[in-house]
Amino acid sequence: MTEHARYPHVFSPLDLGFTTLKNRILMGSMHTGLEDIPDGFERQAAYFAERARGGVGMIITGGVAPNGEAGGGGKLSTPEEAAGHRIVTQAVHAADRDVKIVMQILHTGPLAGTEQAVAPSAVRSRIGRYAPNELDEAGIEKQIADFVNCAAMAKLAGYDGVEIIGSAGYLISTFLVEKTNLRTDEWGGSFENRMRFPVEIMRRVRAEVGPEFILIFRIAAMDMLQGGMAWDEVVALAQAIEAAGVSIISTHFCWHEAQVPTIATMVPRAAFAQVTGRLRKHVSVPMITSNRINMPAVAEAVLARGDADLVSMARPMLADAELVNKARDGREDEINTCIACNQACLDHTFTGRLTSCLVNPRACRETELNYLPTATPKRIAVVGAGPAGLAYATTAAQRGHKVTLFDASAEIGGQFNLARKIPGKEEFDETIRYFNRMIAVHGIDLRLDTRVDAANIATQGFDEVVVATGIEPRRPEIAGIDHPKVVSYIDVITGRVAVGQKVAIMGAGGIGFDVAELVTHKGTSAALDIDVFAKEWGIDFTGHPRGGVTGVEPVVAASGREVTLLQRKSSSPGKSLGKTTGWTHRLTLQRRGVRMMGGVEYLRIDDAGLHLLVGGEPLSMEVDTVIVCAGQLPARGLYDTLVAAGVNATLVGGAYEANELDAKRAINQATALAAAA
Ligand code: FAD
Ligand code: NAP
Ligand code: SF4
């Protein structure tokens, strides 16, 4: 089937009048941290050029600050600074002259994180470090002039356009919303006054850059704030921005401070595209939609419904630079799909680390992590087809090694087969699908239902044995741990044991939280049903009250079980969860009535239940089931025996180090080792 038959909307060009986008998929803006490092332009050049070769129609860079007070990374305000950006634009255009590269201008306003932060009013954000300085009239004029100058410098640097972000709680959006704009002059008060700032910026930027330069405005079509923008204000802003001369309007959903997840893996695919679709009816410029659109079929459906003219995929382009080409060539089963975990991208960005990708550790490391053909092909046995073994086997085979991959179970995936059974983690299926396909593409000899022991592997003549046997769940030494009411998380997730009404979960790490989610869950997974998701998070897609949120505490369907999540540490449970997603898990469980207790000491389990000390005081919990989620230990028996027998063996993943292991570390370590094998 040709590209046009399978994805006719995705692969239809978009004529902007003065230029044409070759298809309808663009790479959305992401701050990667490459903006802030010494060889950052060279590394961005390699990173973006790879995506350009991968077939995307347009690339939007990470945010660039227009001035010193704007925060964010990589200021652009002088011709000297523009010279560095030329490295990026030239690399992208050399990779494919038809791919457009657009620079995002980002002024973080009150979120700048410095005492120099500015805003329309001195209102501190819930997530801001400082109260911003209120801009006076001259200050406002300076900010507008700096946006205009930055756009001019972007043009000088060879960009095809600029995107100006007017959402997320950054400077422009704080003018738009009443609670952050308390001004009484011509920049505050009525909505007409509040939107003057973005409209003036767009009008003056257009005048500066001329008609043949792509100009995109990113609007908060749903800011998810109580007292946020009303729908008629969103429409009025979009129309005024159109009249100011933008080429494209891009829809964004939520401010960073809002308490509604909009991109986490629990968000249904394309959940917000319908909002773009409604706004699209009120303007005539093309519109971009985004959020949780991670596969070409989802993009095609959004475009076919008429919800948008263009689809932005940001994280999916980290996960797979070649996504668009694979769709074009009918190889979508080879796409390494973004599972929306945020673990290596946003969690890194918000903790000052370079962005990468859990499923593709090469993202943002294109100049240093390469899978070059091997000059000395070896026969390699990989034991264990969990994330670590899969990453090792597929990378080594791709490089030309002859790989045999063993697993004791009937399917590949290791613990991902448990993870994917948790409501909200359905996307983990995609990683297993991807690796299954890669096993076939790279001709790996897969032996399932095969438990390897040292004796049988040692006689098969492999040059190297890679031991990726994963972990054993920790079974704490507590009196009564063998009581029938004590079960392991594996038995619960696989459904091998029945769980009672009153439940204690021992261990509040990632798995403890996932198990609490599973045993309190009722009905359809919100990740698979937009209506359920909207109800669980208090979103009103149709009525669109201010901000799009109802403001009423959502009523969440729950199993009715009484669940207590316990840990020995005195810190608050869930602190170790992901920076950008942990709060969603904590809030979900709170809404389902899960009790969380830190600082406990386990004494014993008996017919009466679980006996603890809490703050030195005894507490007996009458429970039917105690689920042990107390961390993991490396499964190293095979490795130790192999080494003792003189076999050349390498440890990867949980078998190497189980403490604080996650799939990001397992895949990263295994991939790096296989790249060097
Ligand atoms: P494993 O996944 O444990 O795989 C080991 C494999 O080796 C298994 O398939 C096993 O059958 C096989 N094996 C063992 N011994 C032998 C033998 N002798 N012969 C043949 N085969 C053998 N991580 C994240 O990063 N993000 C998450 O959101 C996340 N959620 C999770 C949710 C749950 C419920 C669970 C249980 C885990 C989750 N994890 C998550 C953790 C992640 O799955 C693990 O870190 C990762 O799977 C470790 O990979 P691994 O390959 O080292 O080991
Ligand atoms: P974990 O996050 O390290 O949590 C282990 C829990 O067990 C902690 O709450 C710990 O708290 C407790 N514990 C440790 N030793 C104990 C003992 N001897 N007796 C009783 N309790 C003990 O590990 P995990 O939950 O097993 O998860 C494994 C890995 O999978 C994690 O590293 C995690 O990153 C990953 N994962 C990630 C996600 C995600 O959403 N990102 C989800 C699931 C899993 P105390 O010591 O304070 O009691
Ligand atoms: Fe997607 Fe997770 Fe990779 Fe981020 S780290 S791009 S969310 S798969």
Side-chain angles (χ1 to χ4, degrees), residues 343 358 383-389 406-409 413-416 418-419 422 425 428 450-452 468-471 489 493 511 514 638 652-655 661-664 666:
Q343 286 175 240
L358 179 143
V383 185
F406 299 90
D407 203 288
S409 41
Q415 292 174 67
F416 262 32
L418 300 175
I422 307 297
K425 286 195 164 177
F428 284 56
T450 308
R451 179 163 290 281
V452 170
T469 44
I471 53 85
Y489 66 85
I493 298 172
I511 293 179
D514 274 356
L638 175 65
V652 293
L661 173 81
D662 60 9
K664 178 181 74 174

Side-chain angles (χ1 to χ4, degrees), residues 534-558:
K535 272 198 199 97
E536 285 201 355
W537 291 97
I539 305 167
D540 182 350
F541 280 116
T542 40
H544 202 124
R546 277 193 179 276
V549 284
T550 60
V552 179
E553 183 65 14
V555 181
V556 177

Side-chain angles (χ1 to χ4, degrees), residues 133-154:
N133 301 291
E134 179 175 317
L135 287 162
D136 59 16
E137 287 267 349
I140 290 176
E141 285 297 336
K142 174 186 180 299
Q143 299 306 318
I144 296 174
D146 289 347
F147 272 98
V148 174
N149 174 56
C150 186
M153 291 301 114

